[in-house]
């Protein structure tokens, strides 16, 4: 008997025309490291009395479908997750390389279907009505660069054959931590140890009464772009900005030698005044838990620019 192995698992994604209806074709094979995406339906314990000490049969509760997908940050496939999280990009360029620009604040976010497959069982789970609740990653000096995508789905359908057909392949060009840089108002920030970035759509599930127990959709509410920067304490620049209550532009960039790049620009970032502790003889570090807000000049909170050879998303 064949047993499920993570090494043989696969994932395919396609954007939906109608919410909750998986497309018949147009799927793309997505690279991923792990996923907790799944559907569950808990049981409600019977509260009835008069039948002795042994309880009556439990009742099925509403269906919940959600989870996280850990994906590599690369020059091609990551654009699909950016489109899901920010909305369709504005693409420029008559020929490759193309620049895909995503902006925050879109009210209409696309829904999509994701199929995860374990062909040796076989088990293929199609999750329809998926939307991105949050997208986060960490910048560091070394290690594998991945992002965590938090999804809210409408439901799950399981079959023994794939409904995605033969998904289109992806040419994987991963960014690494070595390719990263952080700038403040266009100038390099020295002594950065690590940085965390989280963009959240803060989806509001539409939990209407339905016979199938599924949600009717998920509406984006007030977005949030937050994170932190850990720096070796060397000067008062960031502390003084925090004290003054001023905003700055933070830019997080990855660039490959072949020209592909990914840049997230938070246009108006506010810093809290941190506690600067001397914990021992080693270097002193300070952590700034920053928050971004809408910039009156740009008209939005952040911009993400992805430069690659893909013509459209």
């Amino acid at each position: 008997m064949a047993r499920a192995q993570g090494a043989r698992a696969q994932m395919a994604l396609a954007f939906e025309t109608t919410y909750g209806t998986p497309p018949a074709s147009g799927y793309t094979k997505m690279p991923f490291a792990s996923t907790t995406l799944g559907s569950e339906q808990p049981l409600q314990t019977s509260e009835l009395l008069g039948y002795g000490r042994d309880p009556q049969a439990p009742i099925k509760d509403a269906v919940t479908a959600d989870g996280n997908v850990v994906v590599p940050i690369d020059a091609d496939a990551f654009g699909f997750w950016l489109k899901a999280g920010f909305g369709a990009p504005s693409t420029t360029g008559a020929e490759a390389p193309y620049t895909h620009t995503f902006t925050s604040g879109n009210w209409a976010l696309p829904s999509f279907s994701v199929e995860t497959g374990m062909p040796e069982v076989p088990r293929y789970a199609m999750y329809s009505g998926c939307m991105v609740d949050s997208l986060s990653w960490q910048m560091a000096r070394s290690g594998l660069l991945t992002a965590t995508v938090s999804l809210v789905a409408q439901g799950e359908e399981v079959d023994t054959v794939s409904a995605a057909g033969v998904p289109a392949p992806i040419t994987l060009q991963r960014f690494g931590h070595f390719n990263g840089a952080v700038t403040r108002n266009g100038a390099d920030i020295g002594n950065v140890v690590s940085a965390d970035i989280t963009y959240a759509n803060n989806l509001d599930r539409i939990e209407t009464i339905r016979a199938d127990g599924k949600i009717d959709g998920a509406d984006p509410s007030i977005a949030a772009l937050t994170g932190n920067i850990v720096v070796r304490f060397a000067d008062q620049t960031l502390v003084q900005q925090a004290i003054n209550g001023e905003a700055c532009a933070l830019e997080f960039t990855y660039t490959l030698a072949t020209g592909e790049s990914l840049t997230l620009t938070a246009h108006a970032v506010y810093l809290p005044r941190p506690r600067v502790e001397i914990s021992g003889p080693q270097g002193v570090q300070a952590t700034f838990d920053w928050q971004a807000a809408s910039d009156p000049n740009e008209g939005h909170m952040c911009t993400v620019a992805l430069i690659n050879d893909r013509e459209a998303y």
Side-chain angles (χ1 to χ4, degrees):
M1 175 184 292
R3 294 178 174 83
Q5 294 183 344
R8 296 190 62 186
Q10 55 195 38
M11 178 178 290
L13 178 151
F15 288 97
E16 300 173 345
T17 301
T18 303
Y19 176 80
T21 303
S25 61
Y27 288 84
T28 302
K29 184 177 182 179
M30 302 300 292
F32 72 106
S34 64
T35 178
T36 61
L37 184 60
S39 178
E40 61 181 359
Q41 187 174 23
L43 298 175
Q44 292 282 0
T45 302
S46 175
E47 84 288 16
L48 299 179
L49 305 177
Y51 294 92
R53 292 187 59 226
D54 295 334
Q56 297 299 293
I59 305 299
K60 289 183 178 181
D61 203 356
V63 176
T64 300
D66 55 21
N68 297 331
V69 182
V70 178
V71 301
I73 298 182
D74 73 311
D76 194 351
F78 197 60
F80 288 91
W81 300 114
L82 291 174
K83 176 181 177 179
F86 290 89
S90 171
T91 300
T92 57
E95 58 183 21
Y98 301 95
T99 300
H100 311 280
T101 304
F102 306 83
T103 57
S104 62
N106 290 321
W107 285 104
L109 298 179
S111 65
F112 55 97
S113 292
V114 171
E115 184 185 76
T116 58
M118 293 179 282
E120 67 277 10
V121 174
R123 183 184 189 272
Y124 293 89
M126 178 67 76
Y127 301 95
S128 57
C130 294
M131 296 184 71
V132 170
D133 191 30
S134 66
L135 184 62
S136 62
W137 70 90
Q138 182 181 59
M139 300 184 75
R141 185 175 182 271
S142 63
L144 294 173
L145 177 59
T146 59
T148 299
V149 187
S150 179
L151 303 180
V152 171
Q154 185 186 47
E156 173 193 62
E157 297 293 336
V158 179
D159 205 340
T160 57
V161 295
S162 173
V166 180
I170 283 288
T171 301
L172 188 61
Q173 290 180 289
R174 294 187 69 171
F175 296 108
H177 287 296
F178 177 76
N179 308 119
V182 183
T183 62
R184 174 185 177 274
N185 292 335
D188 289 338
I189 301 178
N191 301 295
V192 176
V193 176
S194 66
D196 288 335
I197 304 102
T198 298
Y199 179 78
N201 284 312
N202 293 313
L203 297 178
D204 180 23
R205 303 184 194 216
I206 306 173
E207 298 177 327
T208 55
I209 299 174
R210 294 172 50 126
D212 57 9
K214 298 178 180 179
I215 62 173
D216 254 353
D219 290 338
S221 59
I222 299 298
L225 179 61
T226 59
N228 67 60
I229 296 179
V230 180
V231 299
R232 292 296 287 266
F233 198 69
D235 59 53
Q236 295 272 43
T237 303
L238 297 180
V239 173
Q240 195 59 49
Q241 176 190 329
I243 293 173
N244 295 340
E246 300 169 344
C248 71
L250 288 183
E251 193 171 88
F252 307 92
T253 305
Y254 299 99
T255 305
L256 296 178
T258 49
E260 294 81 4
S261 68
L262 172 68
T263 303
L264 184 147
T265 304
H267 300 289
V269 171
Y270 294 86
L271 305 175
R273 183 170 178 172
R275 183 191 301 271
V276 179
E277 298 181 352
I278 304 173
S279 57
Q282 297 178 332
V284 177
Q285 294 185 172
T287 300
F288 295 85
D289 295 314
W290 55 268
Q291 300 179 33
S294 178
D295 182 82
N297 297 320
E298 296 291 336
H300 48 266
M301 179 169 57
C302 70
T303 302
V304 182
L306 179 63
I307 300 177
N308 58 21
D309 290 338
R310 181 174 288 272
E311 187 173 358
Y313 281 99

